[in-house]
Amino acid sequence: MEIIYVLIPIAMIFVAIAVMVFFWAVKSEQFDDLDRQSVSILFDEDTVKPNSHPVPEKEQAEAAQEKGMPL
């Protein structure tokens, strides 16, 4: 029966920590957009990345000829 005097305060501490973590997550906007990630897998992104540079056609043709590929 004496163990209950230890377990109840420990349980209360765990609940207080869980409530603080929940309020921190809400305050830091973790739950603002729940639908975007679940739907984003359905759509392809064929956009050019900002740091990538397209290879000119002349360089592509030269690379294909070096590999022995027909144009």
Side-chain angles (χ1 to χ4, degrees):
M1 184 68 178
E2 291 84 22
I3 193 69
I4 208 89
Y5 297 127
V6 175
L7 290 179
I8 290 177
I10 290 174
M12 291 173 62
I13 290 171
F14 280 138
V15 168
I17 290 172
V19 168
M20 289 184 340
V21 168
F22 174 75
F23 281 114
W24 169 80
V26 170
K27 184 178 179 182
S28 63
E29 301 174 354
Q30 295 288 321
F31 302 111
D32 277 354
D33 189 10
L34 298 177
D35 295 330
R36 182 182 50 140
Q37 294 298 325
S38 64
V39 177
S40 67
I41 192 72
L42 302 174
F43 301 106
D44 286 335
E45 292 184 16
D46 292 335
T47 59
V48 177
K49 304 226 185 293
N51 292 336
S52 66
H53 302 287
V55 178
E57 291 180 22
K58 182 178 178 183
E59 290 180 17
Q60 285 180 349
E62 290 173 358
Q65 287 178 353
E66 288 175 5
K67 291 181 181 178
M69 303 172 116
L71 294 176

mmCIF file of all heavy atoms in Angstrom, residues 8-59:
data_model
loop_
_atom_site.group_PDB
_atom_site.id
_atom_site.type_symbol
_atom_site.label_atom_id
_atom_site.label_comp_id
_atom_site.label_asym_id
_atom_site.label_seq_id
_atom_site.Cartn_x
_atom_site.Cartn_y
_atom_site.Cartn_z
ATOM 1 N N ILE A 8 1.553 7.553 -7.379
ATOM 2 C CA ILE A 8 0.644 8.661 -7.714
ATOM 3 C C ILE A 8 1.416 9.938 -8.052
ATOM 4 O O ILE A 8 1.142 10.567 -9.075
ATOM 5 C CB ILE A 8 -0.401 8.880 -6.598
ATOM 6 C CG1 ILE A 8 -1.371 7.702 -6.609
ATOM 7 C CG2 ILE A 8 -1.133 10.203 -6.788
ATOM 8 C CD1 ILE A 8 -2.403 7.746 -5.511
ATOM 9 N N PRO A 9 2.407 10.372 -7.282
ATOM 10 C CA PRO A 9 3.166 11.568 -7.689
ATOM 11 C C PRO A 9 3.934 11.367 -8.996
ATOM 12 O O PRO A 9 4.015 12.290 -9.822
ATOM 13 C CB PRO A 9 4.121 11.809 -6.526
ATOM 14 C CG PRO A 9 3.479 11.151 -5.357
ATOM 15 C CD PRO A 9 2.752 9.980 -5.915
ATOM 16 N N ILE A 10 4.462 10.155 -9.205
ATOM 17 C CA ILE A 10 5.174 9.895 -10.469
ATOM 18 C C ILE A 10 4.199 9.989 -11.644
ATOM 19 O O ILE A 10 4.514 10.582 -12.681
ATOM 20 C CB ILE A 10 5.870 8.519 -10.418
ATOM 21 C CG1 ILE A 10 7.039 8.580 -9.432
ATOM 22 C CG2 ILE A 10 6.353 8.103 -11.793
ATOM 23 C CD1 ILE A 10 7.715 7.243 -9.198
ATOM 24 N N ALA A 11 3.002 9.437 -11.497
ATOM 25 C CA ALA A 11 1.992 9.517 -12.554
ATOM 26 C C ALA A 11 1.579 10.965 -12.805
ATOM 27 O O ALA A 11 1.393 11.371 -13.957
ATOM 28 C CB ALA A 11 0.781 8.677 -12.178
ATOM 29 N N MET A 12 1.465 11.741 -11.754
ATOM 30 C CA MET A 12 1.107 13.150 -11.915
ATOM 31 C C MET A 12 2.206 13.919 -12.643
ATOM 32 O O MET A 12 1.921 14.794 -13.460
ATOM 33 C CB MET A 12 0.797 13.775 -10.554
ATOM 34 C CG MET A 12 -0.489 13.229 -9.946
ATOM 35 S SD MET A 12 -0.795 13.776 -8.258
ATOM 36 C CE MET A 12 -0.935 15.532 -8.459
ATOM 37 N N ILE A 13 3.449 13.587 -12.363
ATOM 38 C CA ILE A 13 4.571 14.231 -13.061
ATOM 39 C C ILE A 13 4.545 13.887 -14.542
ATOM 40 O O ILE A 13 4.733 14.753 -15.401
ATOM 41 C CB ILE A 13 5.908 13.835 -12.403
ATOM 42 C CG1 ILE A 13 6.027 14.475 -11.022
ATOM 43 C CG2 ILE A 13 7.089 14.232 -13.288
ATOM 44 C CD1 ILE A 13 7.202 13.975 -10.212
ATOM 45 N N PHE A 14 4.282 12.602 -14.883
ATOM 46 C CA PHE A 14 4.200 12.203 -16.288
ATOM 47 C C PHE A 14 3.060 12.916 -17.008
ATOM 48 O O PHE A 14 3.219 13.354 -18.152
ATOM 49 C CB PHE A 14 4.015 10.688 -16.410
ATOM 50 C CG PHE A 14 5.293 9.917 -16.260
ATOM 51 C CD1 PHE A 14 5.306 8.752 -15.511
ATOM 52 C CD2 PHE A 14 6.466 10.333 -16.851
ATOM 53 C CE1 PHE A 14 6.471 8.027 -15.366
ATOM 54 C CE2 PHE A 14 7.645 9.620 -16.709
ATOM 55 C CZ PHE A 14 7.652 8.460 -15.969
ATOM 56 N N VAL A 15 1.923 13.051 -16.366
ATOM 57 C CA VAL A 15 0.791 13.753 -16.977
ATOM 58 C C VAL A 15 1.139 15.225 -17.180
ATOM 59 O O VAL A 15 0.834 15.804 -18.228
ATOM 60 C CB VAL A 15 -0.482 13.582 -16.115
ATOM 61 C CG1 VAL A 15 -1.576 14.531 -16.567
ATOM 62 C CG2 VAL A 15 -0.951 12.144 -16.151
ATOM 63 N N ALA A 16 1.776 15.850 -16.216
ATOM 64 C CA ALA A 16 2.166 17.255 -16.357
ATOM 65 C C ALA A 16 3.153 17.437 -17.510
ATOM 66 O O ALA A 16 3.032 18.389 -18.291
ATOM 67 C CB ALA A 16 2.766 17.760 -15.049
ATOM 68 N N ILE A 17 4.102 16.521 -17.651
ATOM 69 C CA ILE A 17 5.065 16.605 -18.755
ATOM 70 C C ILE A 17 4.343 16.439 -20.088
ATOM 71 O O ILE A 17 4.618 17.169 -21.057
ATOM 72 C CB ILE A 17 6.178 15.560 -18.577
ATOM 73 C CG1 ILE A 17 7.070 15.956 -17.401
ATOM 74 C CG2 ILE A 17 7.006 15.424 -19.849
ATOM 75 C CD1 ILE A 17 8.088 14.896 -17.011
ATOM 76 N N ALA A 18 3.410 15.484 -20.175
ATOM 77 C CA ALA A 18 2.664 15.264 -21.415
ATOM 78 C C ALA A 18 1.844 16.494 -21.788
ATOM 79 O O ALA A 18 1.783 16.882 -22.963
ATOM 80 C CB ALA A 18 1.770 14.038 -21.272
ATOM 81 N N VAL A 19 1.220 17.127 -20.821
ATOM 82 C CA VAL A 19 0.435 18.333 -21.094
ATOM 83 C C VAL A 19 1.344 19.464 -21.559
ATOM 84 O O VAL A 19 1.013 20.191 -22.513
ATOM 85 C CB VAL A 19 -0.380 18.734 -19.840
ATOM 86 C CG1 VAL A 19 -0.974 20.121 -19.988
ATOM 87 C CG2 VAL A 19 -1.469 17.705 -19.570
ATOM 88 N N MET A 20 2.500 19.610 -20.941
ATOM 89 C CA MET A 20 3.442 20.664 -21.361
ATOM 90 C C MET A 20 3.946 20.411 -22.782
ATOM 91 O O MET A 20 4.045 21.353 -23.585
ATOM 92 C CB MET A 20 4.614 20.747 -20.376
ATOM 93 C CG MET A 20 4.223 21.317 -19.045
ATOM 94 S SD MET A 20 5.540 21.587 -17.817
ATOM 95 C CE MET A 20 6.878 20.581 -18.301
ATOM 96 N N VAL A 21 4.250 19.171 -23.131
ATOM 97 C CA VAL A 21 4.700 18.852 -24.487
ATOM 98 C C VAL A 21 3.589 19.127 -25.490
ATOM 99 O O VAL A 21 3.841 19.651 -26.580
ATOM 100 C CB VAL A 21 5.182 17.386 -24.565
ATOM 101 C CG1 VAL A 21 5.373 16.935 -25.993
ATOM 102 C CG2 VAL A 21 6.465 17.211 -23.775
ATOM 103 N N PHE A 22 2.353 18.789 -25.155
ATOM 104 C CA PHE A 22 1.233 19.059 -26.048
ATOM 105 C C PHE A 22 1.078 20.556 -26.297
ATOM 106 O O PHE A 22 0.950 20.996 -27.444
ATOM 107 C CB PHE A 22 -0.065 18.489 -25.480
ATOM 108 C CG PHE A 22 -1.269 18.863 -26.280
ATOM 109 C CD1 PHE A 22 -1.522 18.258 -27.502
ATOM 110 C CD2 PHE A 22 -2.145 19.829 -25.824
ATOM 111 C CE1 PHE A 22 -2.627 18.609 -28.251
ATOM 112 C CE2 PHE A 22 -3.257 20.188 -26.561
ATOM 113 C CZ PHE A 22 -3.493 19.572 -27.780
ATOM 114 N N PHE A 23 1.096 21.363 -25.238
ATOM 115 C CA PHE A 23 0.951 22.804 -25.421
ATOM 116 C C PHE A 23 2.137 23.401 -26.173
ATOM 117 O O PHE A 23 1.979 24.331 -26.961
ATOM 118 C CB PHE A 23 0.730 23.513 -24.077
ATOM 119 C CG PHE A 23 -0.676 23.392 -23.583
ATOM 120 C CD1 PHE A 23 -0.969 22.674 -22.437
ATOM 121 C CD2 PHE A 23 -1.720 23.991 -24.266
ATOM 122 C CE1 PHE A 23 -2.271 22.551 -21.986
ATOM 123 C CE2 PHE A 23 -3.033 23.881 -23.827
ATOM 124 C CZ PHE A 23 -3.302 23.153 -22.677
ATOM 125 N N TRP A 24 3.324 22.863 -25.985
ATOM 126 C CA TRP A 24 4.486 23.330 -26.749
ATOM 127 C C TRP A 24 4.285 23.026 -28.232
ATOM 128 O O TRP A 24 4.576 23.863 -29.093
ATOM 129 C CB TRP A 24 5.762 22.644 -26.242
ATOM 130 C CG TRP A 24 6.916 22.882 -27.163
ATOM 131 C CD1 TRP A 24 7.699 23.992 -27.234
ATOM 132 C CD2 TRP A 24 7.393 21.985 -28.176
ATOM 133 N NE1 TRP A 24 8.639 23.843 -28.226
ATOM 134 C CE2 TRP A 24 8.463 22.614 -28.813
ATOM 135 C CE3 TRP A 24 7.015 20.727 -28.587
ATOM 136 C CZ2 TRP A 24 9.156 22.001 -29.855
ATOM 137 C CZ3 TRP A 24 7.698 20.121 -29.620
ATOM 138 C CH2 TRP A 24 8.758 20.766 -30.236
ATOM 139 N N ALA A 25 3.786 21.832 -28.561
ATOM 140 C CA ALA A 25 3.568 21.467 -29.962
ATOM 141 C C ALA A 25 2.507 22.353 -30.603
ATOM 142 O O ALA A 25 2.650 22.763 -31.754
ATOM 143 C CB ALA A 25 3.164 19.997 -30.060
ATOM 144 N N VAL A 26 1.461 22.670 -29.880
ATOM 145 C CA VAL A 26 0.426 23.548 -30.423
ATOM 146 C C VAL A 26 0.977 24.953 -30.607
ATOM 147 O O VAL A 26 0.740 25.604 -31.630
ATOM 148 C CB VAL A 26 -0.818 23.554 -29.506
ATOM 149 C CG1 VAL A 26 -1.791 24.649 -29.918
ATOM 150 C CG2 VAL A 26 -1.491 22.194 -29.529
ATOM 151 N N LYS A 27 1.750 25.426 -29.657
ATOM 152 C CA LYS A 27 2.299 26.787 -29.740
ATOM 153 C C LYS A 27 3.306 26.919 -30.872
ATOM 154 O O LYS A 27 3.394 27.960 -31.518
ATOM 155 C CB LYS A 27 2.973 27.144 -28.406
ATOM 156 C CG LYS A 27 3.474 28.556 -28.348
ATOM 157 C CD LYS A 27 4.089 28.863 -27.008
ATOM 158 C CE LYS A 27 4.622 30.276 -26.976
ATOM 159 N NZ LYS A 27 5.269 30.580 -25.705
ATOM 160 N N SER A 28 4.063 25.851 -31.154
ATOM 161 C CA SER A 28 5.061 25.919 -32.222
ATOM 162 C C SER A 28 4.478 25.505 -33.570
ATOM 163 O O SER A 28 5.213 25.210 -34.498
ATOM 164 C CB SER A 28 6.262 25.042 -31.882
ATOM 165 O OG SER A 28 5.875 23.684 -31.803
ATOM 166 N N GLU A 29 3.144 25.484 -33.674
ATOM 167 C CA GLU A 29 2.407 25.271 -34.924
ATOM 168 C C GLU A 29 2.701 23.923 -35.572
ATOM 169 O O GLU A 29 2.812 23.801 -36.776
ATOM 170 C CB GLU A 29 2.695 26.417 -35.896
ATOM 171 C CG GLU A 29 2.297 27.761 -35.338
ATOM 172 C CD GLU A 29 2.707 28.908 -36.230
ATOM 173 O OE1 GLU A 29 3.392 28.683 -37.231
ATOM 174 O OE2 GLU A 29 2.342 30.034 -35.914
ATOM 175 N N GLN A 30 2.796 22.872 -34.775
ATOM 176 C CA GLN A 30 3.033 21.532 -35.298
ATOM 177 C C GLN A 30 1.780 20.957 -35.952
ATOM 178 O O GLN A 30 1.876 20.070 -36.784
ATOM 179 C CB GLN A 30 3.470 20.599 -34.163
ATOM 180 C CG GLN A 30 4.788 20.972 -33.549
ATOM 181 C CD GLN A 30 5.941 20.678 -34.466
ATOM 182 O OE1 GLN A 30 5.958 19.677 -35.142
ATOM 183 N NE2 GLN A 30 6.918 21.552 -34.481
ATOM 184 N N PHE A 31 0.604 21.435 -35.591
ATOM 185 C CA PHE A 31 -0.638 20.858 -36.066
ATOM 186 C C PHE A 31 -1.380 21.768 -37.042
ATOM 187 O O PHE A 31 -2.584 21.617 -37.226
ATOM 188 C CB PHE A 31 -1.561 20.546 -34.876
ATOM 189 C CG PHE A 31 -0.936 19.612 -33.880
ATOM 190 C CD1 PHE A 31 -0.571 20.062 -32.619
ATOM 191 C CD2 PHE A 31 -0.714 18.295 -34.198
ATOM 192 C CE1 PHE A 31 -0.007 19.204 -31.702
ATOM 193 C CE2 PHE A 31 -0.141 17.426 -33.282
ATOM 194 C CZ PHE A 31 0.210 17.891 -32.038
ATOM 195 N N ASP A 32 -0.700 22.698 -37.693
ATOM 196 C CA ASP A 32 -1.378 23.644 -38.566
ATOM 197 C C ASP A 32 -1.886 23.011 -39.853
ATOM 198 O O ASP A 32 -3.002 23.261 -40.273
ATOM 199 C CB ASP A 32 -0.462 24.817 -38.908
ATOM 200 C CG ASP A 32 -0.470 25.853 -37.817
ATOM 201 O OD1 ASP A 32 -1.257 25.712 -36.875
ATOM 202 O OD2 ASP A 32 0.314 26.809 -37.906
ATOM 203 N N ASP A 33 -1.070 22.217 -40.535
ATOM 204 C CA ASP A 33 -1.447 21.679 -41.831
ATOM 205 C C ASP A 33 -1.285 20.165 -41.823
ATOM 206 O O ASP A 33 -0.236 19.639 -42.143
ATOM 207 C CB ASP A 33 -0.592 22.307 -42.924
ATOM 208 C CG ASP A 33 -1.082 21.949 -44.299
ATOM 209 O OD1 ASP A 33 -2.180 21.381 -44.409
ATOM 210 O OD2 ASP A 33 -0.374 22.241 -45.272
ATOM 211 N N LEU A 34 -2.340 19.463 -41.453
ATOM 212 C CA LEU A 34 -2.274 18.008 -41.357
ATOM 213 C C LEU A 34 -2.581 17.325 -42.682
ATOM 214 O O LEU A 34 -2.252 16.156 -42.866
ATOM 215 C CB LEU A 34 -3.254 17.515 -40.292
ATOM 216 C CG LEU A 34 -2.994 18.013 -38.873
ATOM 217 C CD1 LEU A 34 -4.075 17.512 -37.940
ATOM 218 C CD2 LEU A 34 -1.631 17.546 -38.398
ATOM 219 N N ASP A 35 -3.200 18.023 -43.630
ATOM 220 C CA ASP A 35 -3.617 17.395 -44.883
ATOM 221 C C ASP A 35 -2.564 17.464 -45.979
ATOM 222 O O ASP A 35 -2.559 16.633 -46.876
ATOM 223 C CB ASP A 35 -4.896 18.043 -45.397
ATOM 224 C CG ASP A 35 -6.059 17.788 -44.469
ATOM 225 O OD1 ASP A 35 -6.041 16.732 -43.811
ATOM 226 O OD2 ASP A 35 -6.960 18.630 -44.394
ATOM 227 N N ARG A 36 -1.681 18.418 -45.949
ATOM 228 C CA ARG A 36 -0.733 18.619 -47.048
ATOM 229 C C ARG A 36 0.168 17.414 -47.241
ATOM 230 O O ARG A 36 0.356 16.944 -48.363
ATOM 231 C CB ARG A 36 0.109 19.863 -46.798
ATOM 232 C CG ARG A 36 1.079 20.153 -47.923
ATOM 233 C CD ARG A 36 1.892 21.353 -47.598
ATOM 234 N NE ARG A 36 2.436 21.184 -46.252
ATOM 235 C CZ ARG A 36 3.647 21.526 -45.899
ATOM 236 N NH1 ARG A 36 4.436 22.094 -46.736
ATOM 237 N NH2 ARG A 36 4.078 21.339 -44.680
ATOM 238 N N GLN A 37 0.744 16.874 -46.180
ATOM 239 C CA GLN A 37 1.667 15.760 -46.318
ATOM 240 C C GLN A 37 0.963 14.491 -46.771
ATOM 241 O O GLN A 37 1.536 13.689 -47.498
ATOM 242 C CB GLN A 37 2.399 15.511 -45.000
ATOM 243 C CG GLN A 37 3.315 16.642 -44.604
ATOM 244 C CD GLN A 37 4.423 16.855 -45.614
ATOM 245 O OE1 GLN A 37 4.921 15.923 -46.215
ATOM 246 N NE2 GLN A 37 4.800 18.096 -45.804
ATOM 247 N N SER A 38 -0.263 14.294 -46.359
ATOM 248 C CA SER A 38 -0.973 13.075 -46.751
ATOM 249 C C SER A 38 -1.401 13.106 -48.208
ATOM 250 O O SER A 38 -1.579 12.063 -48.817
ATOM 251 C CB SER A 38 -2.183 12.861 -45.854
ATOM 252 O OG SER A 38 -3.104 13.909 -46.031
ATOM 253 N N VAL A 39 -1.561 14.283 -48.795
ATOM 254 C CA VAL A 39 -1.994 14.392 -50.180
ATOM 255 C C VAL A 39 -0.807 14.603 -51.116
ATOM 256 O O VAL A 39 -0.885 14.288 -52.297
ATOM 257 C CB VAL A 39 -3.012 15.553 -50.316
ATOM 258 C CG1 VAL A 39 -3.436 15.762 -51.742
ATOM 259 C CG2 VAL A 39 -4.215 15.289 -49.449
ATOM 260 N N SER A 40 0.300 15.062 -50.620
ATOM 261 C CA SER A 40 1.429 15.396 -51.486
ATOM 262 C C SER A 40 2.016 14.181 -52.188
ATOM 263 O O SER A 40 2.613 14.315 -53.253
ATOM 264 C CB SER A 40 2.516 16.105 -50.683
ATOM 265 O OG SER A 40 3.084 15.204 -49.756
ATOM 266 N N ILE A 41 1.833 12.996 -51.650
ATOM 267 C CA ILE A 41 2.357 11.789 -52.284
ATOM 268 C C ILE A 41 1.608 11.472 -53.571
ATOM 269 O O ILE A 41 2.118 10.774 -54.446
ATOM 270 C CB ILE A 41 2.295 10.605 -51.292
ATOM 271 C CG1 ILE A 41 3.092 9.418 -51.792
ATOM 272 C CG2 ILE A 41 0.861 10.192 -51.067
ATOM 273 C CD1 ILE A 41 4.557 9.614 -51.741
ATOM 274 N N LEU A 42 0.406 12.006 -53.741
ATOM 275 C CA LEU A 42 -0.408 11.709 -54.911
ATOM 276 C C LEU A 42 -0.018 12.512 -56.140
ATOM 277 O O LEU A 42 -0.420 12.182 -57.247
ATOM 278 C CB LEU A 42 -1.883 11.964 -54.589
ATOM 279 C CG LEU A 42 -2.450 11.157 -53.416
ATOM 280 C CD1 LEU A 42 -3.859 11.601 -53.117
ATOM 281 C CD2 LEU A 42 -2.386 9.683 -53.700
ATOM 282 N N PHE A 43 0.751 13.558 -55.986
ATOM 283 C CA PHE A 43 1.074 14.451 -57.091
ATOM 284 C C PHE A 43 2.568 14.394 -57.395
ATOM 285 O O PHE A 43 3.401 14.392 -56.495
ATOM 286 C CB PHE A 43 0.679 15.894 -56.752
ATOM 287 C CG PHE A 43 -0.790 16.025 -56.453
ATOM 288 C CD1 PHE A 43 -1.234 16.197 -55.158
ATOM 289 C CD2 PHE A 43 -1.723 15.957 -57.476
ATOM 290 C CE1 PHE A 43 -2.578 16.299 -54.876
ATOM 291 C CE2 PHE A 43 -3.079 16.063 -57.197
ATOM 292 C CZ PHE A 43 -3.503 16.238 -55.900
ATOM 293 N N ASP A 44 2.889 14.364 -58.700
ATOM 294 C CA ASP A 44 4.285 14.407 -59.129
ATOM 295 C C ASP A 44 4.746 15.847 -59.195
ATOM 296 O O ASP A 44 3.992 16.747 -59.558
ATOM 297 C CB ASP A 44 4.453 13.783 -60.521
ATOM 298 C CG ASP A 44 4.358 12.289 -60.477
ATOM 299 O OD1 ASP A 44 4.636 11.722 -59.404
ATOM 300 O OD2 ASP A 44 4.034 11.695 -61.508
ATOM 301 N N GLU A 45 5.999 16.044 -58.882
ATOM 302 C CA GLU A 45 6.595 17.366 -59.007
ATOM 303 C C GLU A 45 7.646 17.296 -60.100
ATOM 304 O O GLU A 45 8.730 16.766 -59.899
ATOM 305 C CB GLU A 45 7.229 17.811 -57.694
ATOM 306 C CG GLU A 45 6.219 18.075 -56.606
ATOM 307 C CD GLU A 45 6.877 18.605 -55.349
ATOM 308 O OE1 GLU A 45 8.033 19.039 -55.417
ATOM 309 O OE2 GLU A 45 6.223 18.583 -54.304
ATOM 310 N N ASP A 46 7.297 17.806 -61.276
ATOM 311 C CA ASP A 46 8.220 17.802 -62.402
ATOM 312 C C ASP A 46 8.856 19.174 -62.597
ATOM 313 O O ASP A 46 9.197 19.556 -63.705
ATOM 314 C CB ASP A 46 7.490 17.376 -63.680
ATOM 315 C CG ASP A 46 7.067 15.929 -63.615
ATOM 316 O OD1 ASP A 46 7.708 15.166 -62.872
ATOM 317 O OD2 ASP A 46 6.097 15.571 -64.296
ATOM 318 N N THR A 47 9.011 19.907 -61.540
ATOM 319 C CA THR A 47 9.583 21.236 -61.636
ATOM 320 C C THR A 47 11.098 21.148 -61.575
ATOM 321 O O THR A 47 11.673 20.224 -61.012
ATOM 322 C CB THR A 47 9.078 22.132 -60.497
ATOM 323 O OG1 THR A 47 9.436 21.523 -59.263
ATOM 324 C CG2 THR A 47 7.573 22.290 -60.558
ATOM 325 N N VAL A 48 11.753 22.151 -62.147
ATOM 326 C CA VAL A 48 13.209 22.221 -62.129
ATOM 327 C C VAL A 48 13.638 22.779 -60.784
ATOM 328 O O VAL A 48 13.086 23.762 -60.305
ATOM 329 C CB VAL A 48 13.716 23.123 -63.273
ATOM 330 C CG1 VAL A 48 15.223 23.260 -63.221
ATOM 331 C CG2 VAL A 48 13.267 22.547 -64.604
ATOM 332 N N LYS A 49 14.578 22.148 -60.181
ATOM 333 C CA LYS A 49 15.077 22.619 -58.888
ATOM 334 C C LYS A 49 15.851 23.922 -59.100
ATOM 335 O O LYS A 49 16.507 24.114 -60.114
ATOM 336 C CB LYS A 49 15.968 21.560 -58.265
ATOM 337 C CG LYS A 49 15.255 20.227 -58.117
ATOM 338 C CD LYS A 49 15.511 19.678 -56.765
ATOM 339 C CE LYS A 49 14.936 18.299 -56.588
ATOM 340 N NZ LYS A 49 13.532 18.193 -56.593
ATOM 341 N N PRO A 50 15.815 24.845 -58.149
ATOM 342 C CA PRO A 50 16.450 26.153 -58.344
ATOM 343 C C PRO A 50 17.963 26.083 -58.527
ATOM 344 O O PRO A 50 18.536 26.902 -59.220
ATOM 345 C CB PRO A 50 16.103 26.933 -57.085
ATOM 346 C CG PRO A 50 15.362 26.028 -56.201
ATOM 347 C CD PRO A 50 15.118 24.751 -56.902
ATOM 348 N N ASN A 51 18.619 25.101 -57.938
ATOM 349 C CA ASN A 51 20.085 25.032 -58.036
ATOM 350 C C ASN A 51 20.562 24.197 -59.207
ATOM 351 O O ASN A 51 21.754 24.121 -59.466
ATOM 352 C CB ASN A 51 20.674 24.465 -56.741
ATOM 353 C CG ASN A 51 20.488 25.411 -55.573
ATOM 354 O OD1 ASN A 51 20.347 26.602 -55.776
ATOM 355 N ND2 ASN A 51 20.473 24.884 -54.379
ATOM 356 N N SER A 52 19.665 23.517 -59.911
ATOM 357 C CA SER A 52 20.089 22.683 -61.032
ATOM 358 C C SER A 52 20.070 23.501 -62.312
ATOM 359 O O SER A 52 19.204 24.326 -62.538
ATOM 360 C CB SER A 52 19.188 21.463 -61.161
ATOM 361 O OG SER A 52 17.889 21.875 -61.516
ATOM 362 N N HIS A 53 21.040 23.250 -63.147
ATOM 363 C CA HIS A 53 21.147 23.951 -64.417
ATOM 364 C C HIS A 53 20.876 22.949 -65.533
ATOM 365 O O HIS A 53 21.478 21.878 -65.567
ATOM 366 C CB HIS A 53 22.540 24.556 -64.593
ATOM 367 C CG HIS A 53 22.903 25.508 -63.491
ATOM 368 N ND1 HIS A 53 22.344 26.746 -63.393
ATOM 369 C CD2 HIS A 53 23.732 25.381 -62.437
ATOM 370 C CE1 HIS A 53 22.836 27.354 -62.320
ATOM 371 N NE2 HIS A 53 23.679 26.543 -61.722
ATOM 372 N N PRO A 54 19.975 23.288 -66.464
ATOM 373 C CA PRO A 54 19.701 22.361 -67.561
ATOM 374 C C PRO A 54 20.932 22.221 -68.460
ATOM 375 O O PRO A 54 21.669 23.173 -68.692
ATOM 376 C CB PRO A 54 18.532 23.000 -68.301
ATOM 377 C CG PRO A 54 18.521 24.432 -67.877
ATOM 378 C CD PRO A 54 19.164 24.490 -66.524
ATOM 379 N N VAL A 55 21.147 21.018 -68.946
ATOM 380 C CA VAL A 55 22.285 20.751 -69.822
ATOM 381 C C VAL A 55 21.883 21.132 -71.235
ATOM 382 O O VAL A 55 20.837 20.720 -71.722
ATOM 383 C CB VAL A 55 22.662 19.248 -69.757
ATOM 384 C CG1 VAL A 55 23.813 18.950 -70.687
ATOM 385 C CG2 VAL A 55 22.984 18.857 -68.334
ATOM 386 N N PRO A 56 22.709 21.935 -71.915
ATOM 387 C CA PRO A 56 22.389 22.311 -73.291
ATOM 388 C C PRO A 56 22.314 21.073 -74.193
ATOM 389 O O PRO A 56 22.948 20.055 -73.949
ATOM 390 C CB PRO A 56 23.548 23.221 -73.703
ATOM 391 C CG PRO A 56 24.149 23.688 -72.415
ATOM 392 C CD PRO A 56 23.899 22.606 -71.425
ATOM 393 N N GLU A 57 21.527 21.194 -75.277
ATOM 394 C CA GLU A 57 21.312 20.062 -76.170
ATOM 395 C C GLU A 57 22.615 19.608 -76.828
ATOM 396 O O GLU A 57 22.817 18.422 -77.067
ATOM 397 C CB GLU A 57 20.286 20.437 -77.235
ATOM 398 C CG GLU A 57 18.890 20.607 -76.686
ATOM 399 C CD GLU A 57 17.898 20.985 -77.762
ATOM 400 O OE1 GLU A 57 18.175 20.721 -78.951
ATOM 401 O OE2 GLU A 57 16.851 21.515 -77.414
ATOM 402 N N LYS A 58 23.499 20.549 -77.111
ATOM 403 C CA LYS A 58 24.768 20.193 -77.756
ATOM 404 C C LYS A 58 25.580 19.280 -76.846
ATOM 405 O O LYS A 58 26.145 18.282 -77.301
ATOM 406 C CB LYS A 58 25.558 21.466 -78.081
ATOM 407 C CG LYS A 58 26.853 21.216 -78.800
ATOM 408 C CD LYS A 58 27.550 22.516 -79.125
ATOM 409 C CE LYS A 58 28.878 22.235 -79.807
ATOM 410 N NZ LYS A 58 29.614 23.484 -80.070
ATOM 411 N N GLU A 59 25.628 19.600 -75.552
ATOM 412 C CA GLU A 59 26.364 18.764 -74.600
ATOM 413 C C GLU A 59 25.708 17.406 -74.443
ATOM 414 O O GLU A 59 26.385 16.395 -74.300
ATOM 415 C CB GLU A 59 26.479 19.466 -73.249
ATOM 416 C CG GLU A 59 27.395 20.668 -73.262
ATOM 417 C CD GLU A 59 27.481 21.337 -71.908
ATOM 418 O OE1 GLU A 59 27.106 20.695 -70.901
ATOM 419 O OE2 GLU A 59 27.901 22.493 -71.849
#
